[in-house]
Amino acid sequence: MSELFAHMPTASTLAELIRSREVSPLEVLNDTAERIEARNPQVNAVVWSDIEEARRRAIVIEERLVRADDEAEPAFLGVPLPIKDLTEVKGWPATYGSNAVSDAPKEESELVVEALERSGVLLFGRTNAPEFGPIPVTENSRYGVTRNPWDLSLTPGGSSGGAAAAVAAGMFTIAHGNDGGGSIRIPASCCGLVGLKVARGRIPSRNFSWEGGSVEGVLCRDVTDAARMLDALAGPDPLQWYNAPPPEIPFVSALTMEPKPLRVAMVTTAPFGLSVDAECLRAVAITAETLESFGHIITPTELPNVDDFLAPFLNVVNTGLAGYREVDWSRTESHIQRNREAALAVSSLSYVQSVADLQRWSRGFVAQWGSEFDILLTPTMSILPPRAGAVLEELSASGEMSSSSLTVLQMAVFTAAFNMTGQPAISLPVHVTDTGVPVGAQLVSKPWDELGLLAVAAQLEDALAWPARPLPSF
């Protein structure tokens, strides 16, 4: 394998190497392809790629660089980036991790893909996802199980687990993902990455999946990449029904902000009587101790009431299957068929009631930010990454009318609520167990406050230096 990147850089660093002509886009692409060939068989993160198409794109970028005015070039010019298999790219197949969908090329790209192209990235490859994406692991009957590069016996999380595994394994510096109940934050925690869930309406989409609770984003190595990519992807979009208010300054400005002392509410107990693993609590403690060293005020609390959240949230999630077209539902996995049956059993009046219930619940929930505290600190998950393949086995054996299982609940109990409130939240790689498994902590800010969230995340990154961890060896 090429020694071009013996230590995997961040996407921003790689973009600078390309911009300064120290490496060419074609060299970077070929190295990426070599890394995929060497590492993907063990983790099963990348499920489709077209190297010849990507090489043509790389040559176009090289020609562009010859004529380039560096100041005018996009932030991530030439950086390879894969797209999650739940998101459409014009001319590429998108099977949504399902045997029930053909691999015919799609006729239109999702808006986030168009924005990624404007950011300069070199689109290359598709990453694995669970069928249609409603579970927090990455395993399906079409492509199989994706594994965690830090421990191949474990899951990388989901539903953006293929993206996270591809970055953590060193195949890519950054990868596209989306988050409807923790699907960026959970894989970020499992794989030792930074995973930002943006505010509702921040990144334009052709439809508001899960009532706008499902949002687009990336899995990356540091807060700089998260902030710079958010600047590249954020709206507003005049054709979209709802947009988050634009920031007063670029999101990358957060990297040099010095947050005033904040009231941080620290959660160490889980709803529904679930226990929290000691390593997950250690991640919270490390984060709290570091925040306190910067002058922030830490106050123990419990996660605000989520008892009234779960049932209406599942109604919204199940009906999200309506967004997928040209599906032979008889060929889907058993848990997806149960989800669809549950969705079909919900009347239009009951669905609207669920949405209204979530809106009323959300108002009281979100009102605590700014009144009782400024930022919430929680574990990202209540458990360590479970065994790869275990969740799909649980769901396949289940007779329940949903995709829920105890493990699913344990993985998403701290993340899903914030998709419905629409608040920005981020998982940060603050801890590693003695056996080498990453463990994240989650920060949640007030509505639309990605700037403040990124500023605190940058403080933590400066103190804890997580990008310095070497790539896994396997």
Side-chain angles (χ1 to χ4, degrees):
M1 182 182 297
S2 166
E3 296 300 319
L4 186 60
F5 303 119
H7 301 284
M8 179 61 71
T10 65
S12 295
T13 300
L14 180 55
E16 182 55 39
L17 291 171
I18 293 170
R19 188 177 298 110
S20 64
R21 321 297 199 269
E22 294 183 49
V23 295
S24 74
L26 190 56
E27 285 180 296
V28 173
L29 173 64
N30 287 336
D31 187 82
T32 299
E34 288 182 19
R35 286 174 175 270
I36 293 171
E37 183 178 4
R39 291 177 169 255
N40 196 56
Q42 291 95 324
V43 298
N44 190 36
V46 179
V47 295
W48 177 91
S49 65
D50 185 339
I51 185 63
E52 294 307 319
E53 182 216 26
R55 283 177 175 145
R56 288 192 292 271
R57 290 174 181 249
I59 291 169
V60 170
I61 293 173
E62 288 189 2
E63 293 171 348
R64 177 176 177 172
L65 281 166
V66 171
R67 308 185 300 270
D69 171 3
D70 287 349
E71 295 300 318
E73 290 306 308
F76 294 97
L77 188 63
V79 175
L81 178 143
I83 301 295
K84 183 177 174 179
D85 194 39
L86 301 184
T87 301
E88 296 183 5
V89 180
K90 183 177 180 179
W92 288 15
T95 64
Y96 320 124
S98 177
N99 285 315
V101 179
S102 81
D103 57 3
K106 299 302 179 183
E107 297 180 357
E108 184 178 53
S109 290
E110 178 52 77
L111 295 183
V112 69
V113 173
E114 295 177 358
L116 285 165
E117 290 183 294
R118 290 193 297 272
S119 80
V121 300
L122 175 59
L123 298 183
F124 179 48
R126 282 202 163 283
T127 55
N128 202 14
E131 187 174 42
F132 302 115
I135 56 176
V137 292
T138 303
E139 39 210 50
N140 59 61
S141 58
R142 179 160 191 158
Y143 298 115
V145 173
T146 298
R147 298 180 178 276
N148 192 319
W150 297 104
D151 183 335
L152 296 175
S153 71
L154 304 179
T155 181
S159 62
S160 304
V167 175
M171 296 182 236
F172 292 89
T173 58
I174 192 168
H176 162 260
N178 35 47
D179 189 315
S183 291
I184 286 176
R185 290 160 289 159
I186 290 168
S189 178
C190 292
C191 292
L193 302 173
V194 172
L196 172 66
K197 184 204 82 69
V198 300
R200 177 186 274 110
R202 178 67 70 198
I203 297 175
S205 180
R206 295 195 187 281
N207 65 80
F208 264 24
S209 179
W210 296 8
E211 297 293 333
S214 180
V215 296
E216 302 292 341
V218 293
L219 279 300
C220 55
R221 296 185 178 281
D222 71 352
V223 178
T224 297
D225 280 356
R228 295 186 75 200
M229 187 57 84
L230 181 53
D231 277 322
L233 300 183
D237 174 12
L239 303 182
Q240 186 168 267
W241 281 10
Y242 171 81
N243 287 281
E248 295 180 356
I249 55 177
F251 291 110
V252 74
S253 303
L255 303 175
T256 54
M257 292 169 61
E258 293 188 10
K260 64 181 182 181
L262 299 170
R263 298 169 297 165
V264 180
M266 179 181 68
V267 173
T268 56
T269 59
F272 312 118
L274 297 174
S275 62
V276 182
D277 189 277
E279 299 284 6
C280 301
L281 294 176
R282 181 60 185 147
V284 170
I286 291 169
T287 307
E289 291 163 7
T290 309
L291 290 172
E292 200 165 36
S293 74
F294 286 109
H296 303 300
I297 302 165
I298 311 298
T299 303
T301 190
E302 293 186 359
L303 190 68
N305 173 42
V306 295
D307 290 345
D308 297 330
F309 161 80
L310 188 58
F313 173 70
L314 290 176
N315 279 345
V316 169
V317 169
N318 290 340
T319 53
L321 292 171
Y324 294 101
R325 298 165 293 174
E326 300 176 347
V327 178
D328 180 352
W329 295 104
S330 68
R331 298 187 62 198
T332 58
E333 295 165 15
S334 59
H335 69 101
I336 294 296
Q337 292 186 23
R338 292 196 299 271
N339 278 11
R340 190 164 182 268
E341 290 166 2
L344 290 169
V346 176
S347 70
S348 58
L349 288 174
S350 296
Y351 180 81
V352 171
Q353 183 66 59
S354 291
V355 173
D357 289 344
L358 287 170
Q359 290 178 354
R360 280 192 293 271
W361 164 82
S362 181
R363 293 187 71 85
F365 188 92
V366 177
Q368 297 167 104
W369 277 260
S371 59
E372 299 178 22
F373 51 82
D374 301 307
I375 201 161
L376 186 71
L377 165 63
T378 81
T380 304
M381 302 194 306
S382 70
I383 58 173
L384 295 179
R387 177 177 60 82
V391 168
L392 192 60
E393 291 171 11
E394 287 179 15
L395 297 175
S396 297
S398 172
E400 299 295 325
M401 287 291 290
S402 76
S403 66
S404 293
S405 72
L406 176 59
T407 308
V408 168
L409 185 60
Q410 290 171 319
M411 294 181 76
V413 69
F414 288 114
T415 55
F418 306 110
N419 292 85
M420 287 295 98
T421 65
Q423 293 166 267
I426 193 167
S427 180
L428 299 172
V430 298
H431 179 47
V432 179
T433 70
D434 290 342
T435 58
V437 177
V439 186
Q442 177 180 235
L443 297 175
V444 186
S445 190
K446 64 185 179 181
W448 310 317
D449 188 32
E450 288 96 334
L451 272 170
L453 188 65
L454 288 165
V456 175
Q459 270 192 328
L460 287 165
E461 183 173 73
D462 286 342
L464 298 174
W466 52 73
R469 190 180 185 196
L471 293 174
S473 57
F474 53 84

